[in-house]
């Protein structure tokens, strides 16, 4: 759309907000600066909870202070100031947009950080505007029209497994992507633009929250917002349908359960002890032979993107050593049986897949050799010696017993 005449009003432009994740109506950008228009600035969140300089994220007080925004990045101005600065018109970016203040250093070139962190938080924030999203993913929210990365170039958002582009093209087929060169173009034009509605994500701001300190996941900050228990189903079902499958795939508790073990034994890093891997496979096949469960032992790197998503969508229990292959748990369908089992070197733990599983309403178990744990009895995150190694111990018989316990939910009725 071209130039639109803007009526500046006093109500708060914030539709919903929590630190690092914000939805605003009528957010302005002009010469590379973001403007929030309000005559009651004292009632607005501190801009440090919304936006940052987008610098490389490092630890330490000086590094944190160096990422805080200044007037060169974001300003809150009155309606009178807006009229003087923008005049009566601004160029409308219509519909719903996403504006993400991240850099290549924020690990977006990684399937997990792109799908289960960035998009996880973005969609949860946007979905909080519709608390009535149904289990089949139906929502009143209009599709996202565009996403803008003002610190990321067009060559550094894809991952080595080529999953990132599949997720975004499947989830939002009409989405337009803009990057830092496009941002520079708009700034150099010297003309004001206004977002109709925008979801604003800032990883550095999200790191200021208690949830980030606790779970070390920027998306966790967005879960301070209300929303439907089925918030992710819209995104999940869009991706599943893109593969050519029905969105109902994986549903119900009376279907034949599917156990998927994502093996890293040929990856060369973070692998089970060879004998323990073989014992696990043996025990899983016993479950198949005795109970009729479907058992898949796969290496994600040998599967196509379509095969990975399709199998994950059918999976009831997904398991594997801590690693990127477990990211596809986001395509599982939450049911009373849905479970993720993650294998760690004893003493080691990271929240990545545990938090993601629980945020989707599924059950997660972490294993240390011959013992396991689940929420709320979780250990502190720790990367112990051996965490990244190839001698991770595991009691395969224990894993199989827990699988049986999770799958024989005879008291449950079908969804």
């Amino acid at each position: 759309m071209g130039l639109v005449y803007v009526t500046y009003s006093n109500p708060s432009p914030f539709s919903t907000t929590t630190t690092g994740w914000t939805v605003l109506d009528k957010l302005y950008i002009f010469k590379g600066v973001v403007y929030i228009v309000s005559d009651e600035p004292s009632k607005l969140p501190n801009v440090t909870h919304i936006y940052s300089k987008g610098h490389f994220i490092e630890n330490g007080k000086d590094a944190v202070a160096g990422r805080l925004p200044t007037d060169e990045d974001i300003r809150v101005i009155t309606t009178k100031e807006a009229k003087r600065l923008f005049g009566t018109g601004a160029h409308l970016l219509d519909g719903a947009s996403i504006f993400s203040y991240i850099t290549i250093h924020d690990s977006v070139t990684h399937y997990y950080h792109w799908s289960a962190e960035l998009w996880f938080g973005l969609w949860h924030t946007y979905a909080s505007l519709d608390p009535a999203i149904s289990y089949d993913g139906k929502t009143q929210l209009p599709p996202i029209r565009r996403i803008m990365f003002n610190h990321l170039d067009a060559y550094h958002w894809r991952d080595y497994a080529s999953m990132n582009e599949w997720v975004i093209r499947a989830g939002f087929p009409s989405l337009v992507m803009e990057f830092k060169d496009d941002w520079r173009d708009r700034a150099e034009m010297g003309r004001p633009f206004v977002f109709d509605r925008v979801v604003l994500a800032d990883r550095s701001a999200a790191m200021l929250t208690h949830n980030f300190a606790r779970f070390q996941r920027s998306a966790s900050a967005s879960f301070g917002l209300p929303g439907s228990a089925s918030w992710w189903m819209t995104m999940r079902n869009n991706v599943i349908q893109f593969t050519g499958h029905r969105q109902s795939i994986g549903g119900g508790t009376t279907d034949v359960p599917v156990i998927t073990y994502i093996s890293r034994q040929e990856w060369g890093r973070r692998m089970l002890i060879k004998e323990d891997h073989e014992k696990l496979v043996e025990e899983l096949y016993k479950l198949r032979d005795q109970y009729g469960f479907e058992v898949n032992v796969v290496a994600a790197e040998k599967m196509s993107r379509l095969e990975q998503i399709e199998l994950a969508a059918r999976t009831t229990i997904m398991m594997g050593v801590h690693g990127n292959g477990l990211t596809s748990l986001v395509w599982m369908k939450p049911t009373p049986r849905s479970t993720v089992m993650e294998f760690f070197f004893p003493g080691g733990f990271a929240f990545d897949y545990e938090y993601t599983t629980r945020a989707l309403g599924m059950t997660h178990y972490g294993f240390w050799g011959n013992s396991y744990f689940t929420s709320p009895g979780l250990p502190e995150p720790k990367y112990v010696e051996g965490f990244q190694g190839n001698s991770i111990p595991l009691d395969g018989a224990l894993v199989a017993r827990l699988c049986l316990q999770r799958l024989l939910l005879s008291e449950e009725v079908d969804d």
Side-chain angles (χ1 to χ4, degrees), residues 261-316:
Y261 167 33
I262 300 176
S263 170
R264 295 177 60 93
Q265 293 304 110
E266 297 181 43
W267 189 246
R269 178 171 173 263
R270 229 181 292 136
M271 303 189 302
L272 294 179
I273 294 171
K274 181 176 182 295
E275 293 75 15
D276 290 0
H277 159 76
E278 293 171 350
K279 178 65 173 178
L280 173 62
V281 173
E282 177 187 336
E283 293 292 336
L284 293 178
Y285 284 157
K286 286 181 182 178
L287 293 179
R288 177 196 63 188
D289 297 341
Q290 185 173 352
Y291 294 94
F293 303 151
E294 179 183 335
V295 172
N296 302 285
V297 179
V298 300
E301 66 272 17
K302 294 183 177 181
M303 303 172 71
S304 70
R305 294 173 294 180
L306 188 150
E307 289 171 335
Q308 290 183 56
I309 294 172
E310 185 272 338
L311 179 57
R314 295 194 302 109
T315 292
T316 316

Side-chain angles (χ1 to χ4, degrees), residues 95-110:
S97 305
I98 289 175
F99 181 22
S100 185
Y101 216 47
I102 59 174
T103 73
I104 184 176
H105 302 291
D106 292 328
S107 302
V108 292
T109 56
H110 189 284

Side-chain angles (χ1 to χ4, degrees), residues 32-204:
V33 180
V34 173
Y35 290 89
I36 299 172
V37 178
S38 173
D39 285 334
E40 298 180 306
S42 63
K43 295 183 178 180
L44 304 183
N46 190 304
V47 293
T48 62
H49 294 175
I50 303 169
Y51 206 63
S52 74
K53 285 187 170 295
H55 290 172
F56 175 59
I57 293 177
E58 296 180 292
N59 295 325
K61 291 183 178 180
D62 290 343
V64 172
R67 297 196 299 269
L68 297 179
T70 67
D71 283 351
E72 295 179 354
D73 307 297
I74 185 170
R75 302 178 194 176
V76 178
I77 59 176
T78 65
T79 53
K80 183 178 180 180
E81 291 172 312
K83 290 175 182 177
R84 185 181 72 248
L85 191 61
F86 308 139
T88 58
H91 295 267
L92 180 66
L93 300 174
D94 63 325
S97 305
I98 289 175
F99 181 22
S100 185
Y101 216 47
I102 59 174
T103 73
I104 184 176
H105 302 291
D106 292 328
S107 302
V108 292
T109 56
H110 189 284
Y111 180 29
Y112 174 82
H113 294 291
W114 177 264
S115 298
E117 190 163 20
L118 176 61
W119 280 102
F120 219 59
L122 285 169
W123 186 256
H124 186 267
T125 303
Y126 188 47
S128 69
L129 300 178
D130 182 5
I133 295 176
S134 61
Y135 187 65
D136 60 4
K138 291 181 179 178
T139 178
Q140 299 300 313
L141 295 171
I144 300 293
R145 296 284 299 276
R146 66 187 63 80
I147 183 167
M148 301 172 67
F149 297 102
N150 61 345
H151 279 276
L152 190 67
D153 65 58
Y155 303 100
H156 293 97
W157 64 274
R158 294 173 174 85
D159 65 310
Y160 67 84
S162 299
M163 295 297 289
N164 289 1
E165 51 266 42
W166 182 279
V167 171
I168 197 169
R169 307 302 184 196
F172 305 97
S174 299
L175 189 77
V176 173
M177 301 180 73
E178 293 192 14
F179 297 91
K180 64 180 184 181
D181 288 338
D182 304 291
W183 176 261
R184 187 181 302 112
D185 289 343
R186 292 186 185 277
E188 292 176 352
M189 288 176 179
R191 302 296 298 159
F193 295 86
V194 58
F195 289 103
D196 209 356
R197 168 166 283 179
V198 62
V199 184
L200 184 60
D202 191 292
R203 179 179 174 85
S204 180

